[in-house]
Amino acid sequence: MDEIEFRGNKIEELPDGGVKITTADGRSFVMNKDGNMKIDLQSIKSVGFENIVDLKSHVIMRDGDLTVHKAEFHDGGRVTLAFTSQGKLVEFTGYKIGQTITKDNEIIIRSSTAAKTT
């Protein structure tokens, strides 16, 4: 298992071919070999879309105590977000999207097409 230090972040190769990134401020993210990320959703403060013009559809539904957002981008990307009535993020799944997690634990979602140009 290899490990490198880059700009204060520790990047480790995991035995299953994935990668674990630990930031200088102690946050950690695990990405499996297929590019899927696992993060601690409890640490996320807010989620937003970079450019709503890129959205093909955005549906908001209630499911018991949850408010569920399902959005589809013009380029085929999809995202599902679920929040409790207290505002806690409990689900964040995406396919063919780009995203940034800021130092303030805010997620900015963008289409995969827009992600390729940034």
Side-chain angles (χ1 to χ4, degrees), residues 8-12 20-30 37-40 42-45 99-107:
N9 302 303
K10 182 169 77 169
I11 304 168
E12 305 169 71
K20 179 179 180 181
I21 302 167
T22 305
T23 64
D25 59 3
R27 296 179 295 153
S28 65
F29 307 91
V30 176
M37 293 282 283
K38 286 192 178 187
I39 60 172
D40 175 15
Q42 300 300 320
S43 68
I44 301 303
K45 185 171 33 170
Q99 52 79 32
T100 299
I101 302 174
T102 70
K103 289 183 179 183
D104 294 325
N105 288 337
E106 300 164 327
I107 296 178

Side-chain angles (χ1 to χ4, degrees), residues 48-107:
F49 294 101
E50 181 178 72
N51 190 346
I52 61 170
V53 174
D54 292 336
L55 291 178
K56 179 178 179 182
S57 66
H58 179 202
V59 177
I60 304 170
M61 312 170 260
R62 295 284 299 168
D63 185 9
D65 183 48
L66 299 178
T67 300
V68 180
H69 296 254
K70 291 190 176 208
E72 183 177 355
F73 289 94
H74 289 291
D75 65 4
R78 300 184 306 268
V79 66
T80 300
L81 306 164
F83 297 88
T84 66
S85 57
Q86 293 78 33
K88 287 196 167 231
L89 179 64
V90 294
E91 179 185 349
F92 174 14
T93 57
Y95 168 76
K96 201 175 158 190
I97 63 168
Q99 52 79 32
T100 299
I101 302 174
T102 70
K103 289 183 179 183
D104 294 325
N105 288 337
E106 300 164 327
I107 296 178

Side-chain angles (χ1 to χ4, degrees), residues 103-115:
K103 289 183 179 183
D104 294 325
N105 288 337
E106 300 164 327
I107 296 178
I108 302 164
I109 303 168
R110 65 186 54 84
S111 70
S112 63
T113 306

